[in-house]
Amino acid sequence: ALHTLNHAVFRTTKGKMNMTFFAGALNKFTGEFKYSRASQNPPLLMRRSKLNEPSNFIKFRGDLCFLMEPNGPPLGTQESEHFISGSEQLEPGDQILFYTDGLPERTNATGREWGERGFISALHEAVEKYTKPDEITRHIVQKCEEFGAKSELGDDITICLLKFKGVELKSLQKKSA
């Protein structure tokens, strides 16, 4: 998919523009999550086993798994690019947070960026307080908006949280019978 998108972006922009991108696919029966990045911010994997433990910010930050590799070039840089896929095995309750760079790069009225620390701090507060993905993402966006309330938005902000629930064994047995 990234190869095809890259070719389309390059042909359209003649290499004068590029874009970051992330593509992922979750096998809802096995929990295997395959993905590929084209210089997009690395998604944050939060393991259920770590989320159930109360933690301070330093421990929480250390328990996050940034899906850094593999990473390819932005789409549209060259006509032909090769993109590699990575894979993570998700367990029920694991969560992956996807976001664009507009979130940590949000600036306030003085021009200071919210930054990774502000972003991760808001995420930490959210997972300590909430369990539902929509509540967690709403909290993060609210904190980001509060930080940049008196300044114009300089870039898009996109955030999505995937929570893998797993599949009950009974439902699998019914389908195979």
Side-chain angles (χ1 to χ4, degrees), residues 58-156:
I58 302 296
K59 180 173 179 350
F60 177 78
R61 170 67 178 82
D63 287 342
L64 289 176
C65 179
F66 289 77
L67 301 182
M68 301 290 284
E69 299 297 331
N71 190 22
L75 300 178
T77 306
Q78 294 184 24
E79 187 168 14
S80 183
E81 288 288 359
H82 182 69
F83 297 92
I84 300 170
S85 295
S87 180
E88 285 289 334
Q89 182 61 48
L90 302 183
E91 300 298 326
D94 287 351
Q95 300 179 53
I96 303 176
L97 183 70
F98 308 93
Y99 61 98
T100 57
D101 60 357
L103 196 63
E105 292 175 1
R106 180 72 164 114
T107 57
N108 65 11
T110 65
R112 186 171 64 89
E113 280 191 0
W114 197 36
E116 183 182 293
R117 184 170 178 83
F119 169 49
I120 301 296
S121 179
L123 174 60
H124 178 238
E125 288 175 16
V127 298
E128 291 285 311
K129 194 172 185 178
Y130 304 108
T131 57
K132 295 180 182 173
D134 64 325
E135 295 170 330
I136 293 169
T137 56
R138 194 174 305 118
H139 179 85
I140 295 167
V141 170
Q142 177 186 350
K143 290 294 185 180
C144 183
E145 287 175 351
E146 288 171 8
F147 177 82
K150 298 189 190 285
S151 65
E152 290 200 26
L153 188 61
D155 197 356
D156 69 292

Side-chain angles (χ1 to χ4, degrees), residues 5 13 26 31 35 37 48 98 111 116 119 128 132-133 137 147 152 154 164-165 169 177:
L5 285 170
T13 67
L26 173 65
Y35 64 94
R37 290 177 50 223
R48 177 190 53 86
F98 308 93
E116 183 182 293
F119 169 49
E128 291 285 311
K132 295 180 182 173
T137 56
F147 177 82
E152 290 200 26
F164 178 60
K165 292 182 179 180
L169 194 54

